[in-house]
Amino acid sequence: MDADIDIINCSFSIPQPTSALIPAFETVLSAGKIVVISSGNSASTTLSEFADRDGVIAVGNINYQDYRTQSSSYGSGLKFVNYGTRIMSCSRLNPTYFVPMTGTSQASPITAGIVALYKQMFPTLSRTELINKLIANAKIPHSSEDFNVEYGYGVIQPPAELYELPIIKQSIPRGLYRTGDEDCNYYSI
């Protein structure tokens, strides 16, 4: 297992893993990696058998109004939800076109990116500590609950430590991202 890989995204549902897939997952998880999986789009209350394993983050889909989409599968193994409604994606019919797509396969990679940002901010945390930090910073929309089967622990929020970082104003050289005669600035941490 490549030591430089910390987080793997699987934007496909695995209702019944094949005999070849089970050892691959075991290898990845035993190496301490985090695997983010989509929960599926069948509105099922049964998630993949991998959803309850240590190191696996099952992700459901919510819409722009913060409600779980009806097709998003859910259950006790669901860890988080994220926005996966009308996300611009490559067309299945023509890869040169982008089309809005909806599903847990859109929510899962967004969550994997957030997990990667947390890993970058907290590189010394173990896998369990990192997942616990994600849980501690998640919020279920429209609810005061800590967990429920339709939303898991909710949407991961930015960590408080992010707001403590200094913000540096930088000027972009003319021609790169400028759209007019005014200086274009961007902010970084």
Side-chain angles (χ1 to χ4, degrees):
M1 171 71 2
D2 186 338
D4 292 336
I5 297 172
D6 295 312
I7 298 134
I8 298 170
N9 178 63
C10 297
S11 289
F12 51 85
S13 60
I14 312 165
Q16 295 181 352
T18 65
S19 58
L21 194 55
I22 293 171
F25 258 73
E26 294 298 337
T27 300
V28 167
L29 294 174
S30 66
K33 310 304 180 185
I34 294 174
V35 179
V36 181
I37 62 173
S38 55
S39 68
N41 301 304
S42 62
S44 173
T45 58
T46 305
L47 302 179
S48 161
E49 72 175 68
F50 293 116
D52 285 325
R53 302 237 181 140
D54 287 337
V56 175
I57 296 174
V59 180
N61 177 26
I62 59 173
N63 63 25
Y64 65 93
Q65 294 174 320
D66 297 336
Y67 289 103
R68 183 182 66 82
T69 58
Q70 290 182 343
S71 63
S72 184
S73 295
Y74 58 97
S76 61
L78 187 71
K79 290 272 193 319
F80 302 108
V81 292
N82 214 318
Y83 302 98
T85 302
R86 300 193 52 78
I87 304 296
M88 293 305 289
S89 304
C90 291
S91 169
R92 293 178 189 160
L93 302 176
N94 185 340
T96 63
Y97 289 100
F98 289 91
V99 296
M101 295 181 75
T102 295
T104 59
S105 289
Q106 283 68 40
S108 179
I110 292 171
T111 303
I114 293 168
V115 174
L117 291 172
Y118 267 75
K119 179 68 177 169
Q120 184 177 11
M121 285 190 72
F122 309 103
T124 59
L125 294 183
S126 71
R127 174 177 70 189
T128 301
E129 291 170 331
L130 186 64
I131 291 173
N132 287 338
K133 189 160 195 69
L134 295 166
I135 290 169
N137 284 301
K139 180 173 181 354
I140 299 174
H142 313 291
S143 175
S144 60
E145 296 175 280
D146 292 331
F147 179 88
N148 75 43
V149 295
E150 290 192 19
Y151 292 86
Y153 294 99
V155 180
I156 304 167
Q157 306 297 309
E161 293 87 345
L162 181 64
Y163 300 106
E164 297 168 7
L165 296 172
I167 296 178
I168 303 163
K169 182 179 177 183
Q170 299 176 348
S171 181
I172 299 172
R174 188 179 296 275
L176 290 180
Y177 302 102
R178 281 185 75 165
T179 57
D181 290 333
E182 301 145 19
D183 284 333
C184 180
N185 296 304
Y186 70 96
Y187 296 88
S188 63
I189 53 174

